[in-house]
């Protein structure tokens, strides 16, 4: 977080447009991609914008109990959920840059683009969320816990179970 | 799930304490399957890192939205508050200023005090205002006597209020000048119509509850007026009332017959289409429970076959626009209710019943109507009365 932003936040004043622009530059990419993976590209820009507008109003209440990034992602998650409920949206498929099953002979041939997408989609929403946040979006356990509002131990447990399920799905797929 | 299993993923992510890491490392060295599982997890992690990142769009737009000052309309910001304060001060000022000139608000205030029911006062004040407006239209025809009477009452009221406190103590029913004016105007109107059964001396008018203007009965009660009925009225008085109203609306008597072994009478009147609905309304108001009034039908169609009924048939017809407005209001209320209740909650269900009823009435109103009656066309109305 840049110094002017820190100052504004600590002074509990509404950030100036300039300070807010600094926050957007720093975090827009993460927030946008987070939204795009939940509501799709068509809605991502709108939701990201709403996230930052909400953040602008609420920033003076930010208490440094979590990182600014996870706070923003928490707002984005709420915005996404709201839109999903309103528009009855489904999470879009996540694409992986992996070879297809036809490209055999590789050491890790049991993980294939289609199979991984399928296995990820087969996970429960709770498991899928933590996997996407940790493995793809790079959030730490504590950040995930702050965003979702669950204990860190639960994140650990969910992630572990999600991986066991993924492994099983993929192995089963290979066996046919 | 074992503790080792739990720690394996966390081990991979470096989320374990040193002691836990050491424990897992030892377990992995002893267990080949655990080592294989860990390897699979590593490969899975690597696979997830190949996730395609969506192209980032809309950052400039977001920045503009944040910088842009949202312009609010003047009435939605400070302007609205200023307006509210000015309005509140104005209303408070009007209500608190002592009655100096007999202004409408002062009179309303005076009239409202004895009731001590603010809700009723507000309602009646509004109604009286509308009555006053109606009377003002007719006031061009007010007779000089009535004018003089109204003015003298106005002066008296003004003098009384000058001597009184801001909220005067009421000793008996108040004299309402607006009502007097209105009745005077109505009386003048009635005279120009050539109505009989005049209201009599205005000074003798009782100051008790007055007829509701909602019922359209604007003429004052006067002793001996046959159009005013109560439970003690006899058949003769009922007949007199009907005939009086018929004369007022220039209805011609077609037939008159006795019914129910002489306890009742039935009349068939012919009246102009333009007068039909007020005529029926007045009859219904006057007769009340002591008789019935039929729907109007064209003079040629003597039968009561519904197909012969002329439209608009009743004085109770509500315009389609009003029904649609009502439906809209109910729908809006439903939206508000749904923010608090589920769809199957009792208040919502009750509202739904009302909405269905209104929808049905709208559908009925939209059905092709029977033949309209021209204003100068004669229609026939049957009246039956039962007296003691």
């Amino acid at each position: 977080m840049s110094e002017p932003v820190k100052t504004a936040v600590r002074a509990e004043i509404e950030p100036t447009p300039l300070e807010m622009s600094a926050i957007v530059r720093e975090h827009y990419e993460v927030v946008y991609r987070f939204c795009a993976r939940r509501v799709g590209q068509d809605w991502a820009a709108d939701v990201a914008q709403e996230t930052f507008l909400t953040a602008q109003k609420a920033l003076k209440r930010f208490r440094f109990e979590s990182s600014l990034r996870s706070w923003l992602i928490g707002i984005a998650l709420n915005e996404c959920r709201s839109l999903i409920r309103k528009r009855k949206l489904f999470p879009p498929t996540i694409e992986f840059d992996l070879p297809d099953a036809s490209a055999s002979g590789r050491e890790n041939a049991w993980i294939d683009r289609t199979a991984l997408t399928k296995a990820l989609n087969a996970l429960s929403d709770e498991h899928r969320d933590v996997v996407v946040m940790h493995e793809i979006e790079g959030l730490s356990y504590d950040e995930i816990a702050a965003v979702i509002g669950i204990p860190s131990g639960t994140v650990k447990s969910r992630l572990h179970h999600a991986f066991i399920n993924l492994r099983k799905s993929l192995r089963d797929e290979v066996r046919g | 799930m074992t503790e080792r299993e739990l720690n394996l993923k966390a081990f991979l992510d470096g989320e374990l304490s040193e002691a836990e890491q050491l424990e897992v490392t030892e377990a992995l060295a002893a267990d080949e399957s655990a080592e294989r599982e860990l390897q699979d997890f590593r490969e899975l992690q690597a696979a997830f890192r190949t996730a395609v990142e969506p192209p980032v769009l809309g950052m400039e737009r977001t920045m503009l939205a944040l910088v842009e000052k949202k312009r609010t309309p003047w009435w939605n910001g400070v302007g609205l508050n200023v307006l509210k304060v000015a309005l509140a001060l104005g209303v408070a000022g009007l209500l608190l200023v002592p009655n100096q000139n007999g202004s409408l608000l002062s009179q309303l205030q005076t009239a409202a005090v004895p009731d001590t029911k603010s809700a009723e006062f507000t309602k009646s004040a509004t109604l009286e205002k509308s009555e006053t407006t109606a009377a003002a239209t007719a006031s061009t025809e007010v007779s000089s006597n009535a004018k003089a009477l109204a003015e003298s009452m106005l002066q008296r009221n003004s003098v009384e209020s000058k001597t009184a406190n801001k909220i005067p103590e009421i000793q008996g029913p108040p004299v309402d000048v607006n009502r007097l004016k209105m009745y005077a105007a109505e009386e003048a109107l009635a005279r120009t119509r050539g109505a009989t059964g005049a209201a009599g001396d205005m000074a003798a008018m009782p100051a008790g509850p007055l007829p509701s203007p909602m019922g359209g009965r604007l003429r004052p009660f006067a002793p001996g007026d046959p159009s005013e009925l109560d439970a003690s009225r006899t058949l003769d008085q009922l007949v007199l009332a009907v005939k009086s109203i018929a004369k007022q609306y220039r209805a011609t008597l077609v037939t008159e017959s006795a019914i129910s072994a002489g306890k009742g009478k039935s009349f068939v009147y012919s009246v102009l289409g333009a007068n039909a609905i007020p005529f029926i309304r007045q009859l219904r108001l006057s007769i009340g429970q002591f008789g019935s009034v039929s729907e109007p039908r064209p003079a040629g169609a003597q039968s009561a076959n519904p197909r012969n009924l002329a439209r608009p048939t009743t004085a109770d017809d509500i315009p389609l626009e009003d029904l649609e407005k009502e439906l809209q209001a109910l729908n809006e209320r439903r939206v508000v209710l749904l923010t608090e209740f589920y769809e199957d909650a009792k208040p919502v269900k009750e509202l739904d019943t009302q909405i269905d009823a209104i929808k049905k009435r709208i559908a009925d109103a939209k059905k092709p109507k029977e033949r309209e009656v021209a204003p100068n066309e004669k229609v026939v109305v049957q009246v039956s009365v039962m007296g003691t």
Side-chain angles (χ1 to χ4, degrees):
Chain A
M1 203 187 319
S2 61
E3 275 311 309
V5 175
K6 276 184 183 172
T7 313
V9 172
R10 287 190 197 286
E12 296 189 5
I13 53 170
E14 201 163 291
T16 63
L18 197 68
E19 289 159 353
M20 209 52 218
S21 296
I23 295 176
V24 174
R25 264 192 222 99
E26 201 175 327
H27 298 285
Y28 187 83
E29 201 177 312
V30 173
V31 170
Y32 176 89
R33 287 191 169 137
F34 179 89
C35 297
R37 290 197 183 97
R38 277 152 190 85
V39 296
Q41 293 261 34
D42 293 344
W43 293 98
D46 287 348
V47 179
Q49 184 175 314
E50 279 305 312
T51 301
F52 284 102
L53 286 170
T54 308
Q56 188 177 30
K57 288 177 205 156
L59 194 64
K60 58 184 173 187
R61 295 197 298 272
F62 178 57
R63 289 282 173 271
F64 289 97
E65 285 160 3
S66 60
S67 69
L68 186 62
R69 182 175 73 150
S70 56
W71 183 69
L72 287 170
I73 287 176
I75 297 172
L77 183 65
N78 286 337
E79 296 286 348
C80 289
R81 282 175 178 166
S82 166
L83 186 76
I84 287 166
R85 200 166 45 238
K86 216 181 281 178
R87 302 272 171 185
K88 296 184 170 52
L89 299 176
F90 291 98
T93 304
I94 294 172
E95 299 285 336
F96 295 98
D97 190 15
L98 285 170
D100 271 335
S102 54
S104 56
R106 292 192 302 104
E107 198 182 336
N108 58 349
W110 66 288
I111 305 174
D112 134 282
R113 181 196 299 178
T114 320
L116 185 58
T117 304
K118 200 175 155 188
L120 188 61
N121 288 341
L123 290 178
S124 70
D125 288 347
E126 288 174 345
H127 286 172
R128 187 179 187 274
D129 266 350
V130 289
V131 168
V132 171
M133 280 187 206
H134 187 261
E135 304 303 327
I136 299 173
E137 280 148 3
L139 270 67
S140 70
Y141 284 24
D142 288 339
E143 282 179 321
I144 296 171
V147 168
I148 306 180
I150 53 171
S152 187
T154 312
V155 176
K156 199 188 281 184
S157 162
R158 281 186 190 175
L159 204 51
H160 178 75
H161 277 100
F163 262 65
I164 288 175
N165 290 340
L166 283 168
R167 181 175 178 249
K168 187 173 179 299
S169 297
L170 289 163
R171 287 286 179 201
D172 288 350
E173 188 78 18
V174 170
R175 286 189 205 113
Chain B
M1 167 180 41
T2 65
E3 185 61 22
R4 182 188 61 78
E5 278 174 337
L6 258 179
N7 288 344
L8 205 52
K9 174 67 178 121
F11 173 77
L12 199 60
D13 292 331
E15 295 272 352
L16 292 180
S17 63
E18 280 185 22
E20 285 170 328
Q21 271 184 334
L22 191 66
E23 189 190 331
V24 174
T25 311
E26 286 169 3
L28 285 170
D31 187 350
E32 202 176 317
S33 65
E35 182 60 48
R36 249 198 327 273
E37 193 178 350
L38 185 67
Q39 185 56 33
D40 283 354
F41 280 10
R42 274 202 192 99
E43 286 174 12
L44 257 175
Q45 268 188 340
F48 276 121
R49 285 194 197 107
T50 67
V52 177
E53 298 285 359
V56 178
L57 304 166
M59 186 158 88
E60 293 304 314
R61 202 185 73 180
T62 299
M63 283 194 174
L64 278 175
L66 289 165
V67 173
E68 192 181 55
K69 288 273 178 194
K70 282 185 182 173
R71 290 182 66 185
T72 51
W74 68 268
W75 61 85
N76 210 8
V78 181
L80 179 65
N81 291 331
V82 170
L83 204 66
K84 277 180 185 170
V85 170
L87 198 66
L89 285 175
V91 171
L94 280 172
L95 288 172
L96 293 174
V97 164
N99 187 356
Q100 295 288 328
N101 53 3
S103 69
L104 174 65
L105 269 169
S106 309
Q107 291 158 20
L108 291 175
Q109 192 180 10
T110 313
V113 174
D115 290 340
T116 66
K117 292 176 183 173
S118 59
E120 283 181 19
F121 156 61
T122 313
K123 194 177 172 184
S124 69
T126 313
L127 294 175
E128 281 169 22
K129 198 177 171 187
S130 66
E131 286 177 13
T132 313
T133 314
T137 316
S139 65
T140 51
E141 298 170 34
V142 171
S143 66
S144 58
N145 283 343
K147 265 186 181 172
L149 172 67
E151 280 167 11
S152 69
M153 295 303 292
L154 182 68
Q155 281 170 4
R156 199 177 80 189
N157 189 40
S158 177
V159 169
E160 279 172 0
S161 61
K162 273 180 188 171
T163 55
N165 295 327
K166 281 180 186 175
I167 303 171
E169 284 181 25
I170 299 300
Q171 297 161 350
V175 177
D176 192 313
V177 179
N178 282 314
R179 289 189 181 197
L180 284 174
K181 278 182 180 174
M182 182 183 71
Y183 293 136
E186 279 295 317
E187 181 60 21
L189 274 177
R191 277 182 196 154
T192 55
R193 283 180 190 159
T196 57
D201 186 3
M202 298 296 279
M205 185 188 303
L210 293 160
S212 160
M214 295 299 283
R217 199 175 69 182
L218 296 176
R219 300 177 66 232
F221 176 84
D225 185 350
S227 66
E228 297 297 333
L229 303 173
D230 56 44
S232 66
R233 292 299 166 108
T234 62
L235 179 61
D236 287 345
Q237 284 170 317
L238 285 164
V239 170
L240 190 61
V242 170
K243 285 186 175 174
S244 164
I245 294 165
K247 199 168 180 182
Q248 190 180 342
Y249 288 96
R250 297 172 194 276
T252 316
L253 184 65
V254 180
T255 58
E256 179 179 342
S257 53
I259 55 170
S260 299
K263 286 182 183 172
K265 278 211 167 182
S266 177
F267 307 90
V268 176
Y269 280 102
S270 169
V271 64
L272 275 176
N275 286 346
I277 285 176
F279 175 52
I280 291 167
R281 184 189 289 142
Q282 190 65 45
L283 281 172
R284 284 182 176 161
L285 281 168
S286 296
I287 294 168
Q289 56 181 323
F290 300 108
S292 63
V293 186
S294 76
E295 305 297 335
R297 56 176 184 268
Q302 292 292 326
S303 76
N305 187 329
R307 280 185 300 178
N308 288 328
L309 293 178
R311 295 285 298 187
T313 56
T314 68
D316 302 326
D317 273 356
I318 300 170
L320 184 61
E321 280 178 14
D322 288 359
L323 286 172
E324 281 171 346
K325 275 181 194 167
E326 201 177 337
L327 179 65
Q328 194 186 344
L330 287 173
N331 279 329
E332 282 167 7
R333 197 160 155 242
R334 189 175 189 275
V335 172
V336 175
L337 269 183
L338 284 177
T339 60
E340 291 179 39
F341 300 101
Y342 290 112
E343 288 228 344
D344 55 351
K346 197 181 170 191
V348 181
K349 278 187 174 177
E350 282 172 1
L351 197 65
D352 283 345
T353 315
Q354 284 181 45
I355 288 172
D356 289 344
I358 295 281
K359 278 181 181 170
K360 194 169 178 294
R361 286 169 71 183
I362 289 174
D364 288 345
K366 281 183 178 172
K367 278 180 189 170
K369 291 178 178 174
E370 285 90 5
R371 186 169 68 85
E372 298 280 336
V373 178
N376 56 354
E377 189 184 350
K378 287 268 184 182
V379 292
V380 171
V381 175
Q382 189 168 356
V383 191
S384 305
V385 285
M386 299 286 286
T388 51

